[in-house]
Amino acid sequence: MKLTATREEILGPVQNVIGVVERRQTMPVLSNVLLSAKDNRLSVTGTDLEVELVSEATLTVSAPGEVTVPGRKLLDILRAIPEGTNVTLTTEGERIVVRAGRSRFTLSTLPAAEFPLVEDIQAMQVLKLPQKAFRTLIDKTHFSMAQQDVRYYLNGLMLESEGGRVRAVATDGHRLAMCEVALNERVTGKQQVIVPRKGVLELHRMLGDGEGEVEFALGTNHVRCQIGDIRFTSKLIDGKFPEYSRVIPANANRIIDADRETLRQSLHRTAILSNEKYRGIRLSIKPNQLTLQAHNPEQEEAEDQIEVIYAGEEIEIGFNVTYLLEALSVIETSRVNIALTDSNSSCLVTAAEADGAKYVVMPMRL
């Protein structure tokens, strides 16, 4: 294999896939990236057996071939080479030589045949939606995914397609985030998959502010997505996602209408003296007035008061302040609604002007 290109033309694809490449692996080949060069195109693949990323670039290929090279070392070398420098990659026996100006680096390789690839994902359904809408789906929900929960099906994002809409839901058992957007084309039937946390975070990183269309193929065990020159494939979590519709309060008729930024700043101020471990904060709601209180084991207290629009009876309820703040951070309207049933039930946080997203936060005993 021999190819020549500018530093940037090779660096781009390597940077695109390096997020899934671990330095220390049980299988040595997994710390490598697969370089495949033919027809004046370079394809770079990285995988951790759960998520696979493939990125392509057009450049000059003198001799086609494929080989795997240490991913992080290749990235560090390319980053250290001055911008705009021409780089040549040549395989010599069981080594690959990187030449740039007066610099030369010789790296060990492993055979391409050892590299595990996901070939056909047996797509059962293909969803098409604008890249911006897909980013919105992940933006507004991914922070509610669980981390290393024994209920493994919570350690990911549930995607559900039905009719002309696709819905994303994430929950860690204490809070839930849901968002839905319109598809470019209607789909038949209802499909539900759970994409693992690492895959979701990689997707979130890949989805820029592009205006194009995303094609998302749902298979029995994998999902595959093409975004520009990057192809993303992820294993699915095999499990039954909770019946999320039951969690969303149906008869929360005590509605607080607040200025989003005023409420966010008030929560931030009060949280300074909350318990660092439990992050609890008490809300005392009276007609047109919301009082926020926090205290900690050092007997320190914080209290803040803001004006809201509320006409119901008085109510006191406790929440984890981080969960409220994270929900408010992804709502884009100037006003928010917090709907309550009573002091022992979850609250529903939504934008004052419906934007397809809902946030449920369970109460805390304080």
Side-chain angles (χ1 to χ4, degrees):
M1 183 182 87
K2 184 175 181 181
L3 60 92
T4 306
T6 63
R7 161 195 181 261
E8 287 70 28
E9 286 170 330
I10 305 173
L11 177 61
V14 175
Q15 276 182 323
N16 288 340
V17 306
I18 204 70
V20 294
V21 180
E22 306 289 349
R23 286 183 193 274
R24 292 184 181 86
Q25 287 282 2
T26 47
M27 291 168 62
V29 77
L30 292 181
S31 59
N32 283 15
V33 292
L34 172 67
L35 305 181
S36 179
K38 62 179 178 182
D39 304 328
N40 285 337
R41 281 193 76 75
L42 170 68
S43 169
V44 183
T45 307
T47 185
D48 63 355
L49 296 181
E50 187 177 87
V51 179
E52 177 189 278
L53 292 176
V54 183
S55 185
E56 293 193 342
T58 303
L59 39 75
T60 306
V61 176
S62 311
E66 53 181 14
V67 69
T68 80
V69 300
R72 298 276 172 186
K73 288 176 185 172
L74 177 62
L75 179 69
D76 290 344
I77 288 167
L78 291 168
R79 280 179 172 163
I81 292 168
E83 286 182 26
T85 307
N86 276 348
V87 178
T88 302
L89 269 62
T90 316
T91 51
E92 296 178 5
E94 293 185 357
R95 297 274 185 268
I96 190 165
V97 180
V98 182
R99 290 184 176 88
R102 296 183 182 181
S103 305
R104 185 171 68 89
F105 306 88
T106 305
L107 290 168
S108 61
T109 65
L110 287 169
E114 289 183 21
F115 198 84
L117 291 170
V118 181
E119 298 297 344
D120 181 25
I121 69 158
Q122 297 167 336
M124 297 184 295
Q125 198 176 73
V126 177
L127 310 178
K128 292 179 181 176
L129 67 162
Q131 188 171 322
K132 206 170 181 180
F134 193 27
R135 183 178 175 86
T136 297
L137 265 188
I138 296 177
D139 264 346
K140 290 184 176 287
T141 54
H142 77 283
F143 57 87
S144 288
M145 293 186 293
Q147 292 188 54
Q148 298 176 323
D149 198 295
V150 291
R151 296 163 294 179
Y152 57 93
Y153 47 82
L154 298 185
N155 301 319
L157 184 75
M158 191 277 285
L159 290 174
E160 182 178 69
S161 58
E162 189 177 15
R165 304 192 74 73
V166 62
R167 191 174 295 116
V169 185
T171 179
D172 60 8
H174 302 287
R175 39 99 178 255
L176 177 143
M178 184 187 91
C179 182
E180 63 176 32
V181 296
L183 290 167
N184 287 358
E185 300 170 8
R186 288 183 69 84
V187 292
T188 52
K190 186 176 178 178
Q191 177 97 353
Q192 196 180 89
V193 297
I194 307 172
V195 184
R197 181 183 178 84
K198 184 167 184 177
V200 173
L201 297 179
E202 275 304 318
L203 258 182
H204 190 245
R205 188 179 64 82
M206 285 164 56
L207 285 162
D209 299 321
E211 295 298 319
E213 183 183 74
V214 174
E215 200 172 86
F216 204 72
L218 308 179
T220 43
N221 301 309
H222 293 85
V223 290
R224 177 163 280 171
C225 183
Q226 187 78 37
I227 302 167
D229 286 331
I230 310 172
R231 190 184 75 201
F232 163 92
T233 309
S234 171
K235 271 187 176 176
L236 295 172
I237 293 175
D238 183 19
K240 182 87 173 74
F241 200 77
E243 194 59 63
Y244 63 89
S245 55
R246 290 185 188 171
V247 177
I248 298 168
N251 54 352
N253 51 11
R254 294 169 174 165
I255 297 168
I256 303 158
D257 181 334
D259 179 83
R260 185 184 69 86
E261 187 57 24
T262 303
L263 176 59
R264 194 185 67 79
Q265 289 182 9
S266 181
L267 286 165
H268 261 303
R269 285 193 295 270
T270 315
I272 294 167
L273 297 185
S274 67
N275 184 311
E276 285 180 20
K277 186 177 178 184
Y278 300 109
R279 304 285 287 160
I281 198 161
R282 178 181 280 110
L283 308 186
S284 302
I285 306 118
K286 296 178 181 178
N288 297 335
Q289 183 183 294
L290 171 62
T291 305
L292 300 92
Q293 295 169 310
H295 57 84
N296 60 32
E298 288 80 48
Q299 308 298 313
E300 296 166 332
E301 292 180 6
E303 184 176 304
D304 204 41
Q305 226 173 61
I306 61 169
E307 287 183 15
V308 294
I309 300 169
Y310 177 70
E313 57 193 74
E314 292 186 19
I315 189 169
E316 273 199 3
I317 190 165
F319 291 111
N320 180 314
V321 69
T322 303
Y323 297 164
L324 291 177
L325 284 169
E326 287 185 338
L328 291 176
S329 70
V330 292
I331 291 174
E332 292 164 17
T333 57
S334 60
R335 298 198 72 80
V336 295
N337 289 344
I338 299 175
L340 300 164
T341 308
D342 54 48
S343 56
N344 300 310
S345 302
S346 300
C347 77
L348 176 64
V349 183
T350 54
E353 300 141 34
D355 63 353
K358 292 179 179 177
Y359 306 96
V360 179
V361 182
M362 283 179 67
M364 281 180 81
R365 282 210 176 96
L366 293 174

